[in-house]
Amino acid sequence: MATFLKFLFHSRNELETGGRSSLPVQEDASEPEKVCPNCHLSIPLSRLWANDNTCTCGFHFRMSALQRIAFIADEDTFSEMFSDVSTRDPIQFPGYQKKLEMTRISSKEDEAVICGTVRIGGVECCIFVMEQYFMMGSMGTAVGERITRTFEYASEHKLPVVGFTVSGGARMQEGLFSLMQMAKTSGAVKRHSDLGLFYLVVLTDPTTGGVTASFAMEGDVILAEPGATVGFAGARVIEQTTRKTLPRGFQTAEFLLDHGFVDAIAPRNIQKNMIAELLKLHTTGEEDEQ
Amino acid sequence: MSSNTAYEKVKIARSNKRPTAVDYIDHLLTDFIELHGDRRFSDDGAIVGGIARLNGRPITVVGIEKGRNTKERMQHSFGSPNPEGYRKALRLMKQAEKFHRPLLCLVDTSGAYCGIGAEERGQGQAIAENLMEMMTLKVPVISIVIGEGGSGGALALCVADRVWMLENAIYSVISPEGCASILWKDSAKAAEAAENLKLTAQDSLSNGLIEKVIPEETLGEETFYESLKNQLISEYEILAGLELPDLLEQRYQRFRRIGCFETIDE
C-alpha cells in the first residue's frame, strides 16, 4: 500500500506525462518487457500480467476489453450479448468504412464496447466494457445501441449493471448520430435507475468527452482507476484556449475525487473485491444465499 | 431553401447579426421574468431563463445567450455555459415540472465552456445529469436551435419532444475546425469537414434527427416571430393532448430509434 500511496502523490495530468500517445500500447504480445512511464523500471510482460497490468510502483497500465473481462469476471461466467450490432456509416463519412475495416483487423474486435452478462463475486449482473484499441473507445451508433440494449436487458431482468469506460468521446465520423447516442444511453440509464436498480461505473484511462458527459457520470457509484485521465474537454484544448498552466494532477482520477465527482479510487489489487462487495450490498438477502 | 454550402451556413449560424435567445424571448413571449442562479455555486450568464407567457399561458423558457455586442458577449461567456449554467437550466426545468408549465429551450452555443473551472466543477457530470433528467421531465419540451448547436453543450438542452432548427442553424458533434484539425491535422480544411459532418438543418431533417426547419426569409421581423409563435402554440397544444406516459414514451423512443446500425443474423 505504501508504494501505491507514493504513486498517488506523483499523479500527473495528461500533459505532464507527455500526452496519451506516449503511454505504452499493449498490442505486441511478443515484446518481452514494458517500461513503466512512472518509475521507468522495465517489467517483463508475464510479471506485468500476473500483477493485473500494474507496476510495483502502483502505475496502472491500460487493459484491453477482453483482459478486463478476464480480470473482473468469475471464471467462465461471461456470456457476450449484442455482438451482432454494428454500424452502417450513417453519414457516409469519407474514409470511415476503410478505417473501420482496418480497425477490425488490427484490434481483433468489431466495435468499441463488449457487452454481456457475468457473475462478479457470485452476483449476476450485466456488464459493458469499452475497448480503447477500437478507435480509442469512441462512441458511435453501434456503441450507443449496445450499451442501451445492455441497460434495457438489465431493466427487464432486474439486474445491476457494471460498466468500464474508456473513451475519446463521441465518434465524429458518425456526426450528429453519435451525439444522439449520449441522450439515448442516458435515457436507458434513467429507466434502469427509476426501477431501483444499481449501476456501478469504473472510469479507466482515459474517459473523456461525450462519454464523460453521459453514462460515465450517471452511476449510482462511480469508481476510478488510479491516475486515469477523466475529463470533458481535452487538456491540450483547455491549455490552448485559456492560455493558463493547468494545475498539477488536472483531470486525473484523484483530481476528480478531490472535487467530488468520484466516489472512490479503485486500485486493481482491491478492485474486484470492492465491486463484488458493492454489488452484494445492493442485492436482496435471498440472492446473497446463492 | 437557401443554396449556401455547409460552411457558409456555419458562418451564418455564428454571425453576430442574428437574433439571440433574448430576442426570441422578447418577441415570442410576454411578461418574462428572469430567474437567476443554480442555487449551488453561482449565476451563469450564458444561460438566460425564467417564466413568461406564451399566448397568455405560463411557460418556462431556458436559452443559451451569446450577447449582441462585445460587452454583452463577455457577460454571457460568449454563449458557452459552465456547469453552473446547466445546473441553473435544470433547476428551472424542475420548477417547470413542479408547476406543470411547458418548457421551451433556445439553443445557440459553440459548445460547453472549455476551462479549468468548468472541469473542476464537473462539466461532464452537469451535462450528463441534464440528459437523464430531461428524458423523464413530466412536461412538454420543445427545443429550437437558433444558431449554433455545438455538441454536448447544445444537447444538454435538446432532450426534447420536438427539436426544430432555423434554416441556417447548425447542429454538430464537433466543430468543423476541430474535426479538420483532428482528422487531417489542418483546421483550414474546415469547409470540407463541415460538408462531411452533415451538420446543416436540412441534413438533420433528412436524417430524421429533428422535426422541423424554420425558414429564415423574414428572420428577425415581426412576421417571422408571429409565425414561429403560432407554430409553438399549436405544437404545445398537440403535446398537451398526450397522456403523460405516452408523452414520455414517445420522447424516449424519439432518441431510442436513432442509430444507423445493422444486426447480422447468425
Side-chain angles (χ1 to χ4, degrees), chain A residues 84 86 88 93 145 152 181 183-184 190-191 213 218 232-233 251 261, chain B residues 119-121 124 128 135-136 182-183 249 252 255-256 258 260-262:
Chain A
D84 55 339
S86 64
R88 251 176 36 206
F93 198 91
E145 180 69 19
E152 287 178 342
Q181 304 309 308
K184 180 165 115 180
K190 183 69 160 76
R191 286 196 161 186
E218 293 168 349
F232 177 63
Q251 290 188 330
F261 291 98
Chain B
E119 296 292 317
E120 287 175 333
R121 298 190 295 279
M135 192 62 89
T136 52
I182 293 172
L183 279 190
E249 179 63 21
Y252 183 82
F255 291 91
R256 179 67 189 85
I258 297 176
C260 188
F261 52 84
E262 55 196 348

PDB file of all heavy atoms in Angstrom, chain A residues 84 86 88 93 145 152 181 183-184 190-191 213 218 232-233 251 261, chain B residues 119-121 124 128 135-136 182-183 249 252 255-256 258 260-262:
ATOM      1  N   ASP A  84     -23.668  -8.704 -32.466  1.00  0.00           N
ATOM      2  CA  ASP A  84     -24.070  -8.601 -33.876  1.00  0.00           C
ATOM      3  C   ASP A  84     -24.449  -7.176 -34.284  1.00  0.00           C
ATOM      4  O   ASP A  84     -24.690  -6.918 -35.453  1.00  0.00           O
ATOM      5  CB  ASP A  84     -25.247  -9.548 -34.150  1.00  0.00           C
ATOM      6  CG  ASP A  84     -26.410  -9.298 -33.204  1.00  0.00           C
ATOM      7  OD1 ASP A  84     -26.174  -8.715 -32.118  1.00  0.00           O
ATOM      8  OD2 ASP A  84     -27.539  -9.666 -33.531  1.00  0.00           O
ATOM      9  N   SER A  86     -23.681  -3.710 -35.439  1.00  0.00           N
ATOM     10  CA  SER A  86     -22.538  -2.963 -35.977  1.00  0.00           C
ATOM     11  C   SER A  86     -23.027  -1.733 -36.733  1.00  0.00           C
ATOM     12  O   SER A  86     -24.190  -1.636 -37.107  1.00  0.00           O
ATOM     13  CB  SER A  86     -21.698  -3.854 -36.888  1.00  0.00           C
ATOM     14  OG  SER A  86     -22.463  -4.237 -38.002  1.00  0.00           O
ATOM     15  N   ARG A  88     -23.421   1.330 -39.642  1.00  0.00           N
ATOM     16  CA  ARG A  88     -23.617   1.313 -41.086  1.00  0.00           C
ATOM     17  C   ARG A  88     -23.146   2.610 -41.738  1.00  0.00           C
ATOM     18  O   ARG A  88     -23.620   2.962 -42.790  1.00  0.00           O
ATOM     19  CB  ARG A  88     -25.092   1.086 -41.398  1.00  0.00           C
ATOM     20  CG  ARG A  88     -25.367  -0.287 -41.965  1.00  0.00           C
ATOM     21  CD  ARG A  88     -26.852  -0.511 -42.179  1.00  0.00           C
ATOM     22  NE  ARG A  88     -27.567   0.681 -42.614  1.00  0.00           N
ATOM     23  CZ  ARG A  88     -28.850   0.885 -42.399  1.00  0.00           C
ATOM     24  NH1 ARG A  88     -29.562  -0.014 -41.749  1.00  0.00           N
ATOM     25  NH2 ARG A  88     -29.444   1.973 -42.826  1.00  0.00           N
ATOM     26  N   PHE A  93     -19.258   9.117 -44.114  1.00  0.00           N
ATOM     27  CA  PHE A  93     -18.088   9.964 -43.880  1.00  0.00           C
ATOM     28  C   PHE A  93     -16.895   9.414 -44.659  1.00  0.00           C
ATOM     29  O   PHE A  93     -16.602   8.222 -44.576  1.00  0.00           O
ATOM     30  CB  PHE A  93     -17.777  10.013 -42.376  1.00  0.00           C
ATOM     31  CG  PHE A  93     -16.907  11.155 -41.985  1.00  0.00           C
ATOM     32  CD1 PHE A  93     -17.466  12.363 -41.595  1.00  0.00           C
ATOM     33  CD2 PHE A  93     -15.524  11.032 -42.019  1.00  0.00           C
ATOM     34  CE1 PHE A  93     -16.655  13.432 -41.231  1.00  0.00           C
ATOM     35  CE2 PHE A  93     -14.713  12.109 -41.661  1.00  0.00           C
ATOM     36  CZ  PHE A  93     -15.282  13.306 -41.266  1.00  0.00           C
ATOM     37  N   GLU A 145     -25.979   1.792 -29.208  1.00  0.00           N
ATOM     38  CA  GLU A 145     -27.035   0.785 -29.263  1.00  0.00           C
ATOM     39  C   GLU A 145     -26.725  -0.389 -28.329  1.00  0.00           C
ATOM     40  O   GLU A 145     -27.596  -0.855 -27.597  1.00  0.00           O
ATOM     41  CB  GLU A 145     -27.203   0.286 -30.705  1.00  0.00           C
ATOM     42  CG  GLU A 145     -28.283  -0.770 -30.910  1.00  0.00           C
ATOM     43  CD  GLU A 145     -29.689  -0.224 -30.716  1.00  0.00           C
ATOM     44  OE1 GLU A 145     -29.879   1.004 -30.778  1.00  0.00           O
ATOM     45  OE2 GLU A 145     -30.609  -1.033 -30.491  1.00  0.00           O
ATOM     46  N   GLU A 152     -31.345  -1.919 -21.122  1.00  0.00           N
ATOM     47  CA  GLU A 152     -32.728  -2.382 -21.280  1.00  0.00           C
ATOM     48  C   GLU A 152     -32.852  -3.852 -20.859  1.00  0.00           C
ATOM     49  O   GLU A 152     -33.836  -4.243 -20.222  1.00  0.00           O
ATOM     50  CB  GLU A 152     -33.182  -2.185 -22.733  1.00  0.00           C
ATOM     51  CG  GLU A 152     -33.432  -0.705 -23.044  1.00  0.00           C
ATOM     52  CD  GLU A 152     -33.849  -0.424 -24.487  1.00  0.00           C
ATOM     53  OE1 GLU A 152     -33.630  -1.289 -25.361  1.00  0.00           O
ATOM     54  OE2 GLU A 152     -34.365   0.660 -24.744  1.00  0.00           O
ATOM     55  N   GLN A 181     -26.370   9.468 -29.352  1.00  0.00           N
ATOM     56  CA  GLN A 181     -26.189   8.277 -28.511  1.00  0.00           C
ATOM     57  C   GLN A 181     -26.019   8.660 -27.038  1.00  0.00           C
ATOM     58  O   GLN A 181     -26.317   7.881 -26.146  1.00  0.00           O
ATOM     59  CB  GLN A 181     -24.990   7.435 -28.979  1.00  0.00           C
ATOM     60  CG  GLN A 181     -25.065   7.014 -30.446  1.00  0.00           C
ATOM     61  CD  GLN A 181     -26.383   6.372 -30.823  1.00  0.00           C
ATOM     62  OE1 GLN A 181     -26.832   5.434 -30.156  1.00  0.00           O
ATOM     63  NE2 GLN A 181     -27.020   6.873 -31.862  1.00  0.00           N
ATOM     64  N   ALA A 183     -27.767  10.958 -25.523  1.00  0.00           N
ATOM     65  CA  ALA A 183     -29.129  11.080 -24.992  1.00  0.00           C
ATOM     66  C   ALA A 183     -29.783   9.708 -24.894  1.00  0.00           C
ATOM     67  O   ALA A 183     -30.467   9.383 -23.919  1.00  0.00           O
ATOM     68  CB  ALA A 183     -29.956  12.000 -25.887  1.00  0.00           C
ATOM     69  N   LYS A 184     -29.548   8.881 -25.924  1.00  0.00           N
ATOM     70  CA  LYS A 184     -30.166   7.550 -25.966  1.00  0.00           C
ATOM     71  C   LYS A 184     -29.706   6.687 -24.788  1.00  0.00           C
ATOM     72  O   LYS A 184     -30.532   6.108 -24.072  1.00  0.00           O
ATOM     73  CB  LYS A 184     -29.800   6.897 -27.297  1.00  0.00           C
ATOM     74  CG  LYS A 184     -30.344   5.513 -27.507  1.00  0.00           C
ATOM     75  CD  LYS A 184     -30.226   5.131 -28.976  1.00  0.00           C
ATOM     76  CE  LYS A 184     -29.277   3.972 -29.174  1.00  0.00           C
ATOM     77  NZ  LYS A 184     -29.149   3.603 -30.602  1.00  0.00           N
ATOM     78  N   LYS A 190     -31.484   6.079 -17.158  1.00  0.00           N
ATOM     79  CA  LYS A 190     -32.516   6.676 -16.294  1.00  0.00           C
ATOM     80  C   LYS A 190     -33.640   5.669 -16.024  1.00  0.00           C
ATOM     81  O   LYS A 190     -34.099   5.524 -14.893  1.00  0.00           O
ATOM     82  CB  LYS A 190     -33.068   7.943 -16.969  1.00  0.00           C
ATOM     83  CG  LYS A 190     -34.107   8.702 -16.154  1.00  0.00           C
ATOM     84  CD  LYS A 190     -33.460   9.352 -14.924  1.00  0.00           C
ATOM     85  CE  LYS A 190     -34.284  10.482 -14.336  1.00  0.00           C
ATOM     86  NZ  LYS A 190     -35.443  10.047 -13.568  1.00  0.00           N
ATOM     87  N   ARG A 191     -34.080   4.962 -17.060  1.00  0.00           N
ATOM     88  CA  ARG A 191     -35.158   3.984 -16.867  1.00  0.00           C
ATOM     89  C   ARG A 191     -34.714   2.864 -15.926  1.00  0.00           C
ATOM     90  O   ARG A 191     -35.476   2.418 -15.069  1.00  0.00           O
ATOM     91  CB  ARG A 191     -35.577   3.392 -18.213  1.00  0.00           C
ATOM     92  CG  ARG A 191     -36.378   4.370 -19.040  1.00  0.00           C
ATOM     93  CD  ARG A 191     -37.098   3.693 -20.167  1.00  0.00           C
ATOM     94  NE  ARG A 191     -38.171   4.567 -20.631  1.00  0.00           N
ATOM     95  CZ  ARG A 191     -39.064   4.222 -21.545  1.00  0.00           C
ATOM     96  NH1 ARG A 191     -39.015   3.022 -22.098  1.00  0.00           N
ATOM     97  NH2 ARG A 191     -40.012   5.051 -21.908  1.00  0.00           N
ATOM     98  N   ALA A 213     -19.699  12.989 -20.457  1.00  0.00           N
ATOM     99  CA  ALA A 213     -20.914  13.807 -20.345  1.00  0.00           C
ATOM    100  C   ALA A 213     -22.177  12.976 -20.513  1.00  0.00           C
ATOM    101  O   ALA A 213     -23.252  13.518 -20.769  1.00  0.00           O
ATOM    102  CB  ALA A 213     -20.884  14.939 -21.370  1.00  0.00           C
ATOM    103  N   GLU A 218     -23.133   8.859 -14.721  1.00  0.00           N
ATOM    104  CA  GLU A 218     -24.502   8.602 -14.267  1.00  0.00           C
ATOM    105  C   GLU A 218     -24.628   7.414 -13.330  1.00  0.00           C
ATOM    106  O   GLU A 218     -25.727   6.975 -13.020  1.00  0.00           O
ATOM    107  CB  GLU A 218     -25.407   8.419 -15.507  1.00  0.00           C
ATOM    108  CG  GLU A 218     -25.539   9.716 -16.309  1.00  0.00           C
ATOM    109  CD  GLU A 218     -26.165   9.557 -17.696  1.00  0.00           C
ATOM    110  OE1 GLU A 218     -26.325   8.406 -18.154  1.00  0.00           O
ATOM    111  OE2 GLU A 218     -26.491  10.573 -18.320  1.00  0.00           O
ATOM    112  N   PHE A 232     -13.973  16.276 -19.439  1.00  0.00           N
ATOM    113  CA  PHE A 232     -14.884  16.534 -20.557  1.00  0.00           C
ATOM    114  C   PHE A 232     -14.077  17.087 -21.737  1.00  0.00           C
ATOM    115  O   PHE A 232     -13.885  16.423 -22.739  1.00  0.00           O
ATOM    116  CB  PHE A 232     -15.998  17.494 -20.117  1.00  0.00           C
ATOM    117  CG  PHE A 232     -16.929  17.873 -21.236  1.00  0.00           C
ATOM    118  CD1 PHE A 232     -17.706  16.914 -21.857  1.00  0.00           C
ATOM    119  CD2 PHE A 232     -17.016  19.183 -21.674  1.00  0.00           C
ATOM    120  CE1 PHE A 232     -18.568  17.258 -22.911  1.00  0.00           C
ATOM    121  CE2 PHE A 232     -17.871  19.534 -22.721  1.00  0.00           C
ATOM    122  CZ  PHE A 232     -18.637  18.572 -23.335  1.00  0.00           C
ATOM    123  N   ALA A 233     -13.540  18.278 -21.596  1.00  0.00           N
ATOM    124  CA  ALA A 233     -12.730  18.858 -22.676  1.00  0.00           C
ATOM    125  C   ALA A 233     -11.301  18.325 -22.572  1.00  0.00           C
ATOM    126  O   ALA A 233     -10.832  17.983 -21.496  1.00  0.00           O
ATOM    127  CB  ALA A 233     -12.740  20.381 -22.575  1.00  0.00           C
ATOM    128  N   GLN A 251      -7.435  16.784 -14.131  1.00  0.00           N
ATOM    129  CA  GLN A 251      -8.165  15.723 -14.860  1.00  0.00           C
ATOM    130  C   GLN A 251      -7.661  14.319 -14.580  1.00  0.00           C
ATOM    131  O   GLN A 251      -7.856  13.416 -15.388  1.00  0.00           O
ATOM    132  CB  GLN A 251      -8.174  15.986 -16.370  1.00  0.00           C
ATOM    133  CG  GLN A 251      -9.036  17.164 -16.764  1.00  0.00           C
ATOM    134  CD  GLN A 251      -9.199  17.316 -18.259  1.00  0.00           C
ATOM    135  OE1 GLN A 251      -8.319  16.945 -19.021  1.00  0.00           O
ATOM    136  NE2 GLN A 251     -10.328  17.860 -18.698  1.00  0.00           N
ATOM    137  N   PHE A 261     -16.380  14.314  -7.689  1.00  0.00           N
ATOM    138  CA  PHE A 261     -17.079  13.688  -8.804  1.00  0.00           C
ATOM    139  C   PHE A 261     -16.843  12.191  -8.937  1.00  0.00           C
ATOM    140  O   PHE A 261     -17.341  11.559  -9.862  1.00  0.00           O
ATOM    141  CB  PHE A 261     -16.742  14.421 -10.116  1.00  0.00           C
ATOM    142  CG  PHE A 261     -17.352  15.789 -10.127  1.00  0.00           C
ATOM    143  CD1 PHE A 261     -16.613  16.908  -9.787  1.00  0.00           C
ATOM    144  CD2 PHE A 261     -18.702  15.954 -10.407  1.00  0.00           C
ATOM    145  CE1 PHE A 261     -17.202  18.163  -9.739  1.00  0.00           C
ATOM    146  CE2 PHE A 261     -19.296  17.195 -10.362  1.00  0.00           C
ATOM    147  CZ  PHE A 261     -18.545  18.315 -10.033  1.00  0.00           C
TER     148      PHE A 261
ATOM    149  N   GLU B 119     -14.039  22.180 -15.619  1.00  0.00           N
ATOM    150  CA  GLU B 119     -13.687  20.778 -15.343  1.00  0.00           C
ATOM    151  C   GLU B 119     -13.733  20.513 -13.836  1.00  0.00           C
ATOM    152  O   GLU B 119     -14.215  19.473 -13.397  1.00  0.00           O
ATOM    153  CB  GLU B 119     -12.289  20.466 -15.885  1.00  0.00           C
ATOM    154  CG  GLU B 119     -12.175  20.562 -17.400  1.00  0.00           C
ATOM    155  CD  GLU B 119     -12.958  19.480 -18.145  1.00  0.00           C
ATOM    156  OE1 GLU B 119     -12.904  18.315 -17.730  1.00  0.00           O
ATOM    157  OE2 GLU B 119     -13.624  19.812 -19.145  1.00  0.00           O
ATOM    158  N   GLU B 120     -13.230  21.480 -13.050  1.00  0.00           N
ATOM    159  CA  GLU B 120     -13.229  21.313 -11.592  1.00  0.00           C
ATOM    160  C   GLU B 120     -14.643  21.166 -11.037  1.00  0.00           C
ATOM    161  O   GLU B 120     -14.864  20.476 -10.050  1.00  0.00           O
ATOM    162  CB  GLU B 120     -12.546  22.518 -10.924  1.00  0.00           C
ATOM    163  CG  GLU B 120     -11.046  22.530 -11.092  1.00  0.00           C
ATOM    164  CD  GLU B 120     -10.392  23.792 -10.534  1.00  0.00           C
ATOM    165  OE1 GLU B 120     -11.055  24.851 -10.477  1.00  0.00           O
ATOM    166  OE2 GLU B 120      -9.219  23.720 -10.172  1.00  0.00           O
ATOM    167  N   ARG B 121     -15.579  21.842 -11.686  1.00  0.00           N
ATOM    168  CA  ARG B 121     -16.961  21.787 -11.192  1.00  0.00           C
ATOM    169  C   ARG B 121     -17.816  20.773 -11.944  1.00  0.00           C
ATOM    170  O   ARG B 121     -19.027  20.745 -11.789  1.00  0.00           O
ATOM    171  CB  ARG B 121     -17.581  23.197 -11.256  1.00  0.00           C
ATOM    172  CG  ARG B 121     -16.850  24.191 -10.363  1.00  0.00           C
ATOM    173  CD  ARG B 121     -17.592  25.493 -10.229  1.00  0.00           C
ATOM    174  NE  ARG B 121     -17.713  26.240 -11.481  1.00  0.00           N
ATOM    175  CZ  ARG B 121     -16.747  27.009 -11.997  1.00  0.00           C
ATOM    176  NH1 ARG B 121     -15.607  27.135 -11.362  1.00  0.00           N
ATOM    177  NH2 ARG B 121     -16.938  27.648 -13.130  1.00  0.00           N
ATOM    178  N   GLY B 124     -18.801  17.538 -17.389  1.00  0.00           N
ATOM    179  CA  GLY B 124     -19.375  16.284 -17.888  1.00  0.00           C
ATOM    180  C   GLY B 124     -20.557  15.837 -17.047  1.00  0.00           C
ATOM    181  O   GLY B 124     -21.612  15.456 -17.572  1.00  0.00           O
ATOM    182  N   ALA B 128     -24.431  15.393 -18.295  1.00  0.00           N
ATOM    183  CA  ALA B 128     -24.999  14.046 -18.152  1.00  0.00           C
ATOM    184  C   ALA B 128     -26.295  14.078 -17.344  1.00  0.00           C
ATOM    185  O   ALA B 128     -27.278  13.424 -17.685  1.00  0.00           O
ATOM    186  CB  ALA B 128     -23.984  13.115 -17.485  1.00  0.00           C
ATOM    187  N   MET B 135     -35.003  13.531 -20.020  1.00  0.00           N
ATOM    188  CA  MET B 135     -35.667  12.396 -20.645  1.00  0.00           C
ATOM    189  C   MET B 135     -36.982  12.055 -19.935  1.00  0.00           C
ATOM    190  O   MET B 135     -37.913  11.572 -20.564  1.00  0.00           O
ATOM    191  CB  MET B 135     -34.722  11.184 -20.646  1.00  0.00           C
ATOM    192  CG  MET B 135     -35.167  10.044 -21.515  1.00  0.00           C
ATOM    193  SD  MET B 135     -35.284  10.461 -23.276  1.00  0.00           S
ATOM    194  CE  MET B 135     -33.619  10.094 -23.833  1.00  0.00           C
ATOM    195  N   THR B 136     -37.054  12.330 -18.641  1.00  0.00           N
ATOM    196  CA  THR B 136     -38.276  11.979 -17.906  1.00  0.00           C
ATOM    197  C   THR B 136     -38.984  13.214 -17.335  1.00  0.00           C
ATOM    198  O   THR B 136     -39.820  13.091 -16.444  1.00  0.00           O
ATOM    199  CB  THR B 136     -37.959  10.990 -16.763  1.00  0.00           C
ATOM    200  OG1 THR B 136     -36.891  11.521 -15.973  1.00  0.00           O
ATOM    201  CG2 THR B 136     -37.542   9.639 -17.309  1.00  0.00           C
ATOM    202  N   ILE B 182      -8.307  17.399 -36.130  1.00  0.00           N
ATOM    203  CA  ILE B 182      -8.055  16.044 -35.612  1.00  0.00           C
ATOM    204  C   ILE B 182      -7.814  15.067 -36.758  1.00  0.00           C
ATOM    205  O   ILE B 182      -6.841  14.323 -36.764  1.00  0.00           O
ATOM    206  CB  ILE B 182      -9.227  15.556 -34.742  1.00  0.00           C
ATOM    207  CG1 ILE B 182      -9.323  16.386 -33.456  1.00  0.00           C
ATOM    208  CG2 ILE B 182      -9.041  14.074 -34.382  1.00  0.00           C
ATOM    209  CD1 ILE B 182     -10.552  16.107 -32.627  1.00  0.00           C
ATOM    210  N   LEU B 183      -8.688  15.115 -37.772  1.00  0.00           N
ATOM    211  CA  LEU B 183      -8.599  14.112 -38.834  1.00  0.00           C
ATOM    212  C   LEU B 183      -7.490  14.398 -39.828  1.00  0.00           C
ATOM    213  O   LEU B 183      -6.801  13.497 -40.285  1.00  0.00           O
ATOM    214  CB  LEU B 183      -9.927  14.028 -39.591  1.00  0.00           C
ATOM    215  CG  LEU B 183     -11.027  13.206 -38.952  1.00  0.00           C
ATOM    216  CD1 LEU B 183     -12.164  13.046 -39.941  1.00  0.00           C
ATOM    217  CD2 LEU B 183     -10.528  11.846 -38.499  1.00  0.00           C
ATOM    218  N   GLU B 249     -42.993   8.153 -23.240  1.00  0.00           N
ATOM    219  CA  GLU B 249     -42.598   7.019 -24.076  1.00  0.00           C
ATOM    220  C   GLU B 249     -42.179   7.508 -25.468  1.00  0.00           C
ATOM    221  O   GLU B 249     -41.170   7.055 -26.020  1.00  0.00           O
ATOM    222  CB  GLU B 249     -43.763   6.016 -24.176  1.00  0.00           C
ATOM    223  CG  GLU B 249     -43.490   4.802 -25.051  1.00  0.00           C
ATOM    224  CD  GLU B 249     -42.353   3.907 -24.541  1.00  0.00           C
ATOM    225  OE1 GLU B 249     -42.027   3.977 -23.342  1.00  0.00           O
ATOM    226  OE2 GLU B 249     -41.794   3.163 -25.353  1.00  0.00           O
ATOM    227  N   TYR B 252     -38.766   9.081 -25.231  1.00  0.00           N
ATOM    228  CA  TYR B 252     -37.733   8.039 -25.121  1.00  0.00           C
ATOM    229  C   TYR B 252     -37.487   7.409 -26.489  1.00  0.00           C
ATOM    230  O   TYR B 252     -36.347   7.277 -26.926  1.00  0.00           O
ATOM    231  CB  TYR B 252     -38.183   6.975 -24.112  1.00  0.00           C
ATOM    232  CG  TYR B 252     -37.148   5.890 -23.859  1.00  0.00           C
ATOM    233  CD1 TYR B 252     -36.091   6.099 -22.970  1.00  0.00           C
ATOM    234  CD2 TYR B 252     -37.231   4.658 -24.507  1.00  0.00           C
ATOM    235  CE1 TYR B 252     -35.145   5.116 -22.733  1.00  0.00           C
ATOM    236  CE2 TYR B 252     -36.285   3.664 -24.274  1.00  0.00           C
ATOM    237  CZ  TYR B 252     -35.254   3.891 -23.389  1.00  0.00           C
ATOM    238  OH  TYR B 252     -34.319   2.914 -23.163  1.00  0.00           O
ATOM    239  N   PHE B 255     -35.401   9.273 -29.221  1.00  0.00           N
ATOM    240  CA  PHE B 255     -33.949   9.097 -29.187  1.00  0.00           C
ATOM    241  C   PHE B 255     -33.550   7.632 -29.333  1.00  0.00           C
ATOM    242  O   PHE B 255     -32.520   7.308 -29.908  1.00  0.00           O
ATOM    243  CB  PHE B 255     -33.379   9.676 -27.882  1.00  0.00           C
ATOM    244  CG  PHE B 255     -33.485  11.174 -27.837  1.00  0.00           C
ATOM    245  CD1 PHE B 255     -34.595  11.789 -27.284  1.00  0.00           C
ATOM    246  CD2 PHE B 255     -32.491  11.966 -28.397  1.00  0.00           C
ATOM    247  CE1 PHE B 255     -34.711  13.173 -27.273  1.00  0.00           C
ATOM    248  CE2 PHE B 255     -32.601  13.345 -28.395  1.00  0.00           C
ATOM    249  CZ  PHE B 255     -33.711  13.950 -27.832  1.00  0.00           C
ATOM    250  N   ARG B 256     -34.404   6.734 -28.814  1.00  0.00           N
ATOM    251  CA  ARG B 256     -34.085   5.314 -28.827  1.00  0.00           C
ATOM    252  C   ARG B 256     -33.887   4.774 -30.242  1.00  0.00           C
ATOM    253  O   ARG B 256     -33.033   3.939 -30.494  1.00  0.00           O
ATOM    254  CB  ARG B 256     -35.240   4.537 -28.137  1.00  0.00           C
ATOM    255  CG  ARG B 256     -35.058   3.035 -28.086  1.00  0.00           C
ATOM    256  CD  ARG B 256     -33.902   2.685 -27.182  1.00  0.00           C
ATOM    257  NE  ARG B 256     -33.544   1.279 -27.257  1.00  0.00           N
ATOM    258  CZ  ARG B 256     -32.726   0.763 -28.162  1.00  0.00           C
ATOM    259  NH1 ARG B 256     -32.203   1.535 -29.104  1.00  0.00           N
ATOM    260  NH2 ARG B 256     -32.424  -0.513 -28.134  1.00  0.00           N
ATOM    261  N   ILE B 258     -32.755   6.351 -32.794  1.00  0.00           N
ATOM    262  CA  ILE B 258     -31.659   6.960 -33.559  1.00  0.00           C
ATOM    263  C   ILE B 258     -30.436   6.060 -33.528  1.00  0.00           C
ATOM    264  O   ILE B 258     -29.854   5.796 -32.497  1.00  0.00           O
ATOM    265  CB  ILE B 258     -31.280   8.350 -33.004  1.00  0.00           C
ATOM    266  CG1 ILE B 258     -32.461   9.308 -33.133  1.00  0.00           C
ATOM    267  CG2 ILE B 258     -30.059   8.890 -33.769  1.00  0.00           C
ATOM    268  CD1 ILE B 258     -32.219  10.672 -32.533  1.00  0.00           C
ATOM    269  N   CYS B 260     -27.899   4.108 -36.805  1.00  0.00           N
ATOM    270  CA  CYS B 260     -27.870   3.531 -38.128  1.00  0.00           C
ATOM    271  C   CYS B 260     -26.949   2.333 -38.022  1.00  0.00           C
ATOM    272  O   CYS B 260     -25.765   2.418 -38.243  1.00  0.00           O
ATOM    273  CB  CYS B 260     -27.336   4.566 -39.103  1.00  0.00           C
ATOM    274  SG  CYS B 260     -27.456   4.083 -40.807  1.00  0.00           S
ATOM    275  N   PHE B 261     -27.511   1.226 -37.585  1.00  0.00           N
ATOM    276  CA  PHE B 261     -26.680   0.058 -37.347  1.00  0.00           C
ATOM    277  C   PHE B 261     -27.385  -1.130 -37.950  1.00  0.00           C
ATOM    278  O   PHE B 261     -28.559  -1.060 -38.307  1.00  0.00           O
ATOM    279  CB  PHE B 261     -26.502  -0.169 -35.840  1.00  0.00           C
ATOM    280  CG  PHE B 261     -27.798  -0.189 -35.115  1.00  0.00           C
ATOM    281  CD1 PHE B 261     -28.544  -1.357 -35.051  1.00  0.00           C
ATOM    282  CD2 PHE B 261     -28.305   0.959 -34.546  1.00  0.00           C
ATOM    283  CE1 PHE B 261     -29.760  -1.373 -34.419  1.00  0.00           C
ATOM    284  CE2 PHE B 261     -29.538   0.943 -33.916  1.00  0.00           C
ATOM    285  CZ  PHE B 261     -30.261  -0.221 -33.855  1.00  0.00           C
ATOM    286  N   GLU B 262     -26.692  -2.207 -38.102  1.00  0.00           N
ATOM    287  CA  GLU B 262     -27.375  -3.397 -38.578  1.00  0.00           C
ATOM    288  C   GLU B 262     -27.035  -4.569 -37.674  1.00  0.00           C
ATOM    289  O   GLU B 262     -25.995  -4.603 -37.045  1.00  0.00           O
ATOM    290  CB  GLU B 262     -26.995  -3.705 -40.025  1.00  0.00           C
ATOM    291  CG  GLU B 262     -25.506  -3.837 -40.265  1.00  0.00           C
ATOM    292  CD  GLU B 262     -25.184  -3.737 -41.749  1.00  0.00           C
ATOM    293  OE1 GLU B 262     -26.114  -3.803 -42.560  1.00  0.00           O
ATOM    294  OE2 GLU B 262     -24.005  -3.598 -42.074  1.00  0.00           O
TER     295      GLU B 262
END
